[in-house]
Amino acid sequence: MTHHHPTSTSQPRFAVIGAGINGAAVAREITQRFPQGSVTVIDKADHVAAHQTGHNSGVVHAGLYYEPGSLKARLCRRGVELITAYARERNVAYEECGKLVVALTEEEETRLHAIYERAVANGVPDVELVGPERIREIEPNAVGRLALHSPHTGIIDFAGVARALIEDARAAGATVRLGAEVTDMSNNDNGCSITTRDADGRTSTETFDYVISCAGLQSDRVAALAGGAAYPKIVPFFGQYSQLDSQYRTILNGLVYPVPDPAYPFLGVHLTKRVDGEMLVGPNAFLSFGRENYTGWKIGVKDSLGVAANPGFWKFAAQNAKAAVQEFSAVISRKKFLEGAAEYVPSLEGVPSRPITRGIRAQAMDENGALVDDFVIEHIGRATLIRNAPSPGATSSLAIAEYILDVVGETHGLTRKDENNE
């Protein structure tokens, strides 16, 4: 096997692990910054956006909830501008349908005021607090005591964005290797070799100057191959969405969400319109028995044992037992789940629905069982590992790509094409 040594920093060889929306955005960003370099995208699935990117509700988050000044808030606001402009430019389905976050109780009203202040601090445009009358004007079928209206929150086809980004990267000379699973890495300060196995079981090893891992649900395992830290570990949670019968697809103009409960990490029942016009109710979150178990019937033994062996998970479970029991009964009974939605949209009472393919969320957890809320990026040798890219990771993907490449550039002293010409 011949080892490739970097000849000059202007022609670096990059590998990107993962062809979800973050990997796709990173690959395209590399081709723009280092047109002389080379990029290889590696993913074990046989198509782009096979996991979280292709199994989510498709909401472009405006940045209502995040701590002002946090990386999450900054990347979200920048990401919204980039992804919406990109979707329009590449004709990917996108609609600015607006969103109401609805308070049903006095306690929720208090929390909603705090969210409103955050949204304003984050620079979310045109947000306002509206009362019952105005709620009815915006969403004739919704009810509530008070709501936060975010008129520019939108919906998008994230998988379509990822495919377009990969097309752009390919057009700029990138190689995309699908059906190639990363099985080993040898990583030091001079380079990083990646061993992959294809669908027929053949393995091959290639050496790169820099590797960026955007492996989503498998990010902790890829990090382990590169010599990364044990934590955070990924604990998979599934979100089961139900699709309403199509005669109810026009029941809302946009999105209706509950006020998030700070004691519980998931958002609760919400109503989400999809870019194809269908109306979804979801998701109820529950521990998934398998990282890529989209149907729910086969239990992934390795993944389930991995969760069971993670002491952090049991600490989390103990802290969230009450909420878990509630969620589990909603998993078992779709009727109960829809009753939750009917509190916000009374005309949903008794409406027929069917479960659709579930999404699985890669939830990073530390050794104390705390859910890791912000981005975690680890550098080790020549590898940069995205260990946690939580929601709004898809919304922020183009901004995350810029940020990651800035960080990689600073860490390794790389200069991009426009810095050389100044």
Side-chain angles (χ1 to χ4, degrees):
M1 186 178 81
T2 56
H3 278 277
H4 170 86
H5 292 286
T7 41
S8 95
T9 50
S10 62
Q11 299 176 345
R13 296 170 34 132
F14 285 90
V16 177
I17 301 172
I21 196 165
N22 279 302
V26 165
R28 172 175 166 271
E29 185 70 19
I30 294 168
T31 63
Q32 294 184 336
R33 293 198 189 196
F34 301 102
Q36 306 319 123
S38 71
V39 188
T40 303
V41 181
I42 301 167
D43 195 297
K44 70 179 168 49
D46 60 4
H47 60 285
V48 172
H51 296 293
Q52 291 182 105
T53 302
H55 295 86
N56 67 38
S57 57
V59 177
V60 178
H61 290 287
L64 302 176
Y65 311 109
Y66 316 118
E67 189 62 55
S70 67
L71 186 57
K72 226 178 186 184
R74 296 203 317 271
L75 291 178
C76 182
R77 287 304 315 147
R78 169 91 180 130
V80 169
E81 286 163 26
L82 292 173
I83 203 166
T84 53
Y86 183 74
R88 290 192 175 110
E89 178 198 319
R90 298 289 268 104
N91 282 324
V92 175
Y94 167 70
E95 182 194 336
E96 204 171 80
C97 62
K99 166 171 162 179
L100 282 177
V101 180
V102 178
L104 299 177
T105 64
E106 205 174 324
E107 186 202 350
E108 286 181 345
E109 273 188 46
T110 313
R111 294 209 299 263
L112 197 58
H113 280 282
I115 290 171
Y116 171 73
E117 279 163 25
R118 275 194 165 187
V120 171
N122 284 337
V124 180
D126 306 325
V127 283
E128 53 174 348
L129 287 171
V130 297
E133 267 59 72
R134 184 85 177 94
I135 290 176
R136 214 159 300 136
E137 281 172 33
I138 298 165
E139 290 290 3
N141 290 313
V143 296
R145 294 170 60 125
L146 182 73
L148 172 76
H149 184 219
S150 169
H152 303 296
T153 295
I155 51 178
I156 201 165
D157 174 8
F158 281 125
V161 173
R163 288 191 293 269
L165 290 165
I166 288 286
E167 276 170 26
D168 288 354
R170 272 196 170 122
T175 304
V176 179
R177 288 175 43 204
L178 298 173
E181 181 172 3
V182 175
T183 55
D184 203 5
M185 284 164 80
S186 141
N187 172 32
N188 57 42
D189 292 337
N190 304 323
C192 185
S193 307
I194 297 180
T195 302
T196 55
R197 182 175 56 221
D198 69 13
D200 301 323
R202 284 189 300 260
T203 60
S204 62
T205 301
E206 203 175 338
T207 303
F208 300 92
D209 300 321
Y210 304 100
V211 172
I212 300 174
S213 165
C214 307
L217 285 156
Q218 304 294 344
S219 56
D220 53 347
R221 292 177 177 167
V222 171
L225 294 176
Y231 285 91
K233 287 200 189 312
I234 296 297
V235 174
F237 281 84
F238 71 74
Q240 179 74 63
Y241 282 87
S242 290
Q243 183 175 319
L244 297 183
D245 233 37
S246 48
Q247 74 250 38
Y248 298 96
R249 55 194 291 182
T250 56
I251 201 159
L252 294 175
N253 300 314
L255 314 173
V256 172
Y257 276 51
V259 178
D261 182 346
Y264 191 54
F266 303 107
L267 253 180
V269 173
H270 52 266
L271 290 134
T272 301
K273 190 163 82 163
R274 212 167 50 184
V275 282
D276 62 1
E278 297 296 347
M279 199 75 212
L280 308 183
V281 182
N284 47 7
F286 205 72
L287 177 66
S288 175
F289 295 102
R291 297 196 186 198
E292 296 168 9
N293 179 9
Y294 297 106
T295 60
W297 293 114
K298 57 176 208 296
I299 287 187
V301 175
K302 178 181 168 195
D303 289 347
S304 302
L305 288 174
V307 170
N310 174 356
F313 171 71
W314 295 106
K315 292 176 189 162
F316 166 81
Q319 293 150 17
N320 290 279
K322 188 169 125 278
V325 169
Q326 232 176 325
E327 289 279 338
F328 194 62
S329 59
V331 171
I332 302 299
S333 153
R334 209 155 67 251
K335 189 169 140 287
K336 185 169 179 296
F337 189 46
L338 281 161
E339 277 165 19
E343 288 185 57
Y344 298 87
V345 182
S347 45
L348 280 177
E349 197 65 69
V351 165
S353 71
R354 61 184 184 82
I356 57 169
T357 311
R358 39 208 241 172
I360 294 181
R361 156 181 179 163
Q363 179 63 64
M365 198 176 275
D366 69 19
E367 56 267 52
N368 298 318
L371 300 181
V372 181
D373 196 41
D374 216 343
F375 292 94
V376 179
I377 296 161
E378 184 180 9
H379 297 279
I380 186 154
R382 286 298 184 88
T384 298
L385 309 160
I386 302 180
R387 300 293 302 260
N388 196 35
S391 175
T395 297
S396 313
S397 51
L398 291 148
I400 291 172
E402 289 180 338
Y403 173 76
I404 293 287
L405 269 273
D406 288 347
V407 171
V408 168
E410 278 163 38
T411 306
H412 298 292
L414 292 173
T415 49
R416 46 192 289 185
K417 54 157 200 227
D418 40 14
E419 289 170 6
N420 296 334
N421 306 338
E422 273 162 19

